[in-house]
Amino acid sequence: MRFSAPRSLSPSPVRGKVRSRSTFGLQSGSEDSDYDSDSNSNSYSSSDSDSACSPSSGASTSASSSTDSFCYASDSDVPIPPPNPRRRSQNPAEQQYIEETVAAIRLRTRHNDPYEEWEKQTRKDAFRTARKELSATQIRLRDQKASTRGREQQRLAAIHAQQMAEVQAQLEVMRLKQQKDESSLREAWKVRDKKVWDRIESVIKVEEDKVKARLEQERKLREEEERVKNEAELKRKLAEEKKRQEEEERQRKEQEERILKAEEQKREEEDERQRLEDERIRTERLQSEEAQRQKLGITTSDEDWKQARANLRRLKTDTMQVIKSDKAAKSEWGTYRRKITPKIGQITNDSRAINDIFDQLILILHPTDRPPHHEKIYTALLYSLAKAILLQAETEVTAEKRSAIPLAQVAFKLLEKLDGFAEIFFAKLTQRVGGWPIPAVIPTTDHDGTQWGADGDRIKAMGYRKSQIGEGLETTGEYTARISGIMRLYFHILKIEPTYRPLHPMFQLPRYWVWVSRLMDERGLLETAIAPHLLYTALDVLGSHARELWGHQWNKMLELIYEGVTVGFGNGRQIGGQSPEGTGARLRVQFEVERIVVGHA
């Protein structure tokens, strides 16, 4: 190990007798400053002289001619400085200690440790070797990753191509079958029409021939004076014939109506029997899977609806009624609520505007310039925030579906950031659109088993609201447009990937699969006119993304949906029923399924 010490220049005779003094680490202001200065100057001058003239100093002799340093031939030639009258004399022990110290310092400054040099060189070599091995390893790993990625992409491309070929082949088979069925139906209708008209014309011709023959016979048998009487008789008979035909036609129509009513009643009984059978099978299946569902944490549609309904009732009774009954709390809640509503209306499809609105809403709910809100006021503000977002979706998204994207981004950020907002938002969502976010059929009793009130509580629970145009409930068109706008917002929220933390299970992407599968399994919901509208909305927002995510399984779901809107299930019952609204929505669903399949070809 090396040691170093500062060296002072040897005094030059040319420069005079002023010499630098070394205290060897002692303070110059101590009591022995005079003594130490004198003794240290002598010994250090001697060490400098020896060091400068020693062979180990390299080219010191040659460099002395160009510097102010001066080298003596020996220690005896060094002049003795004049004594300082202020210094005390040194005893031999002190002189010897100083000389030994100087000698020790000189030895340490001149010492060269080979092990230390070897250790430094070894470290450099090891670092160089490690860096070379690291570079080689990184290159090898990068090449391996690139090769693996290429093989995986080729494999996925082959799988996608095979699946696309299978879907196209199935679609082609279904298209050919549909064309064949349509051709056979047309031919059958043509044959039937021809037979009917031929029979009608033959009957008319026979009747005309009969009348003509009878008239001709009567004309020949009677004289001219009986012609008027014969004509009157003929008119009477024709009137009776017409009356008889009308009576027969009336009886025939009554018979057809009785047959249609009997068939309709039979079909209704069959549907009711099928519904009860499906309900029984579904109940047995749910009972058999109950233990497994509880183990996996999976809930049914009825359980989800009851939980949302219970949360809504708890919010209204435990929070909103308490806030509205307290004048001070109601005033504070109203002040901040009036700040929330304009912010929601200012949302535009701009990332900076979205972030600004989000930050402003967070400051309203978590103010930094005052103490935090009381728990109930905070919950009431979350309730108002959820209501404002849903009302904005009812107005803007219904008019322009692209406006759901920025509104969904703000809602997603709030769901991700605000504690307790997810349960409140989903409860409010269920209140505004009924059981469609789950989806679930509203039962005949409330979530706690009590009967619905007489003032249309069940109709309200189904999502119906008062009409904005006239009195009474909103029409089917108004109801469908409003529900579709809110559900489009919900599907856009499911589409966004979380960045801060996982959201509530009701707002995670797997809920999209649950929603579609539950809807396709619920006959009562599929036969409503709004079902194909919501299916189209779901496919328009997440259909292509779901196909990329779930692949072949989603293709099976698309096949089932396509069959439901084209051929129908069971007795030919198509999705959306026979209403005009359902027919138009079925066509949109059919085109959307074809677009998704062809778009990924």
Side-chain angles (χ1 to χ4, degrees):
M1 184 176 295
R2 294 184 175 180
F3 295 90
S4 61
R7 298 178 58 187
S8 62
L9 299 176
S10 300
S12 174
V14 179
R15 297 186 180 185
K17 296 182 179 181
V18 178
R19 302 181 63 187
S20 63
R21 297 178 179 179
S22 175
T23 61
F24 290 96
L26 300 177
Q27 298 294 331
S28 61
S30 61
E31 296 178 356
D32 299 336
S33 60
D34 295 339
Y35 167 75
D36 292 342
S37 175
D38 184 53
S39 61
N40 290 342
S41 298
N42 294 335
S43 57
Y44 195 66
S45 298
S46 178
S47 65
D48 288 344
S49 175
D50 293 344
S51 174
C53 298
S54 63
S56 61
S57 61
S60 62
T61 56
S62 60
S64 63
S65 61
S66 61
T67 62
D68 292 337
S69 301
F70 184 78
C71 184
Y72 293 95
S74 63
D75 293 341
S76 61
D77 295 335
V78 178
I80 300 173
N84 191 343
R86 292 180 299 174
R87 295 180 182 176
R88 64 182 179 83
S89 60
Q90 299 177 352
N91 56 34
E94 293 176 345
Q95 184 67 29
Q96 182 179 1
Y97 175 78
I98 294 172
E99 291 175 355
E100 289 176 355
T101 302
V102 173
I105 293 173
R106 186 181 297 114
L107 288 175
R108 288 184 179 277
T109 57
R110 296 176 180 176
H111 179 68
N112 184 18
D113 192 350
Y115 176 79
E116 191 174 29
E117 295 293 333
W118 173 83
E119 185 179 11
K120 290 181 179 180
Q121 187 63 32
T122 302
R123 289 178 180 174
K124 293 179 180 179
D125 295 340
F127 176 74
R128 192 180 303 110
T129 303
R131 185 169 58 185
K132 186 182 297 183
E133 291 179 355
L134 177 61
S135 300
T137 302
Q138 290 178 343
I139 294 172
R140 185 171 65 258
L141 290 176
R142 186 165 55 251
D143 294 341
Q144 291 177 355
K145 289 181 179 178
S147 176
T148 303
R149 191 182 302 110
R151 290 195 299 272
E152 183 65 18
Q153 291 178 353
Q154 292 177 359
R155 185 181 68 82
L156 291 176
I159 293 174
H160 290 168
Q162 180 182 0
Q163 293 177 351
M164 193 62 220
E166 293 174 358
V167 172
Q168 288 181 346
Q170 185 67 19
L171 290 175
E172 186 64 25
V173 170
M174 295 175 66
R175 190 177 294 108
L176 293 175
K177 183 177 180 300
Q178 184 179 3
Q179 292 177 357
K180 183 178 179 182
D181 294 341
E182 290 178 355
S183 301
S184 61
L185 288 174
R186 290 194 189 97
E187 294 297 329
W189 274 105
K190 288 179 180 179
V191 173
R192 179 182 176 279
D193 290 345
K194 186 175 183 303
K195 289 181 179 180
V196 170
W197 282 110
D198 290 341
R199 185 165 60 252
I200 292 173
E201 289 176 356
S202 64
V203 171
I204 293 174
K205 187 175 183 303
V206 170
E207 294 295 328
E208 288 178 351
D209 292 340
K210 289 180 180 180
V211 173
K212 288 179 180 180
R214 187 171 61 252
L215 291 175
E216 183 68 18
Q217 185 179 4
E218 291 175 354
R219 189 186 62 82
K220 291 179 180 181
L221 294 175
R222 295 175 180 84
E223 298 296 335
E224 183 64 25
E225 61 272 10
E226 295 179 355
R227 182 177 60 83
V228 177
K229 182 179 178 180
N230 291 335
E231 289 180 357
E233 184 68 20
L234 178 60
K235 290 180 180 180
R236 184 183 63 79
K237 289 183 178 180
L238 288 176
E240 291 178 354
E241 183 68 19
K242 182 178 180 181
K243 184 178 180 180
R244 184 182 61 81
Q245 290 178 357
E246 290 177 353
E247 182 66 22
E248 291 178 355
E249 182 69 18
R250 184 182 63 79
Q251 293 178 359
R252 185 181 63 81
K253 288 183 178 180
E254 290 179 355
Q255 182 67 20
E256 290 180 353
E257 289 179 357
R258 286 195 298 270
I259 294 174
L260 290 176
K261 288 181 179 179
E263 291 178 353
E264 182 68 22
Q265 184 178 2
K266 183 179 179 181
R267 185 164 55 251
E268 290 178 356
E269 292 176 355
E270 183 67 23
D271 292 343
E272 182 66 19
R273 186 163 50 253
Q274 183 66 32
R275 186 187 67 80
L276 294 176
E277 181 66 18
D278 294 343
E279 185 67 22
R280 184 186 63 80
I281 295 174
R282 181 171 178 268
T283 303
E284 292 178 354
R285 177 169 56 83
L286 292 176
Q287 290 176 355
S288 62
E289 297 174 354
E290 183 176 2
Q292 186 177 3
R293 288 199 314 272
Q294 291 179 356
K295 183 178 181 181
L296 297 176
I298 301 174
T299 58
T300 63
S301 58
D302 294 338
E303 292 172 349
D304 291 342
W305 179 83
K306 288 180 180 179
Q307 181 64 38
R309 181 72 178 173
N311 290 338
L312 180 64
R313 292 288 296 274
R314 187 168 54 253
L315 283 171
K316 287 182 174 295
T317 57
D318 297 347
T319 301
M320 301 310 298
Q321 289 184 0
V322 175
I323 292 295
K324 292 179 180 180
S325 62
D326 188 349
K327 186 175 181 180
K330 182 179 180 181
S331 176
E332 182 179 356
W333 166 64
T335 301
Y336 287 96
R337 178 175 59 87
R338 286 187 290 272
K339 294 180 180 179
I340 290 175
T341 304
K343 302 299 179 185
I344 300 299
Q346 296 171 4
I347 298 175
T348 58
N349 195 10
D350 179 69
S351 58
R352 178 177 297 177
I354 291 172
N355 292 329
D356 291 341
I357 296 298
F358 168 71
D359 294 336
Q360 293 172 11
L361 291 173
I362 292 298
L363 287 178
I364 293 174
L365 292 164
H366 294 287
T368 58
D369 56 346
R370 62 180 302 277
H373 295 300
H374 188 270
E375 181 180 358
K376 290 191 178 298
I377 294 179
Y378 174 74
T379 305
L381 291 176
L382 292 181
Y383 183 87
S384 301
L385 177 61
K387 182 178 179 180
I389 294 174
L390 295 176
L391 290 177
Q392 187 72 11
E394 289 182 359
T395 55
E396 281 201 15
V397 180
T398 302
E400 176 56 51
K401 62 182 182 180
R402 287 180 297 180
S403 61
I405 298 176
L407 186 61
Q409 292 177 353
V410 174
F412 180 86
K413 288 176 175 291
L414 294 172
L415 290 169
E416 195 177 34
K417 187 70 174 177
L418 297 175
D419 295 333
F421 183 56
E423 292 82 359
I424 297 175
F425 186 78
F426 192 78
K428 195 64 180 174
L429 176 65
T430 308
Q431 180 192 15
R432 299 299 300 181
V433 299
W436 288 110
I438 296 175
V441 177
I442 305 302
T444 56
T445 58
D446 206 344
H447 71 284
D448 53 358
T450 59
Q451 295 295 328
W452 296 103
D455 54 349
D457 289 344
R458 187 170 184 267
I459 300 297
K460 293 180 181 179
M462 294 172 65
Y464 283 94
R465 295 292 177 268
K466 292 183 178 180
S467 177
Q468 300 294 331
I469 300 176
E471 296 182 356
L473 295 177
E474 56 191 351
T475 62
T476 303
E478 294 174 340
Y479 178 75
T480 301
R482 186 174 59 82
I483 299 300
S484 298
I486 296 178
M487 290 303 295
R488 182 175 290 275
L489 169 68
Y490 179 62
F491 292 137
H492 273 291
I493 293 175
L494 298 181
K495 189 176 182 180
I496 303 175
E497 297 182 359
T499 56
Y500 178 66
R501 62 178 180 180
L503 296 186
H504 189 273
M506 289 299 178
F507 297 96
Q508 295 181 6
L509 184 57
R511 291 297 303 181
Y512 180 72
W513 178 276
V514 174
W515 188 89
V516 177
S517 60
R518 283 181 177 177
L519 180 60
M520 297 304 295
D521 190 46
E522 192 64 57
R523 183 187 300 269
L525 294 178
L526 284 177
E527 293 181 355
T528 59
I530 191 176
H533 286 275
L534 297 185
L535 267 178
Y536 167 74
T537 302
L539 294 176
D540 184 38
V541 176
L542 274 167
S544 300
H545 184 69
R547 193 170 189 270
E548 295 175 357
L549 184 63
W550 291 307
H552 185 61
Q553 297 299 324
W554 183 247
N555 289 337
K556 293 181 180 179
M557 185 69 74
L558 292 178
E559 292 177 6
L560 183 63
I561 296 173
Y562 195 82
E563 180 183 358
V565 297
T566 55
V567 181
F569 304 121
N571 298 327
R573 296 292 182 88
Q574 294 178 324
I575 297 176
Q578 301 301 322
S579 62
E581 296 85 357
T583 302
R586 277 199 303 272
L587 291 176
R588 286 197 292 271
V589 174
Q590 178 181 350
F591 295 153
E592 187 63 23
V593 172
E594 293 175 354
R595 183 193 66 79
I596 293 172
V597 175
V598 175
H600 290 77

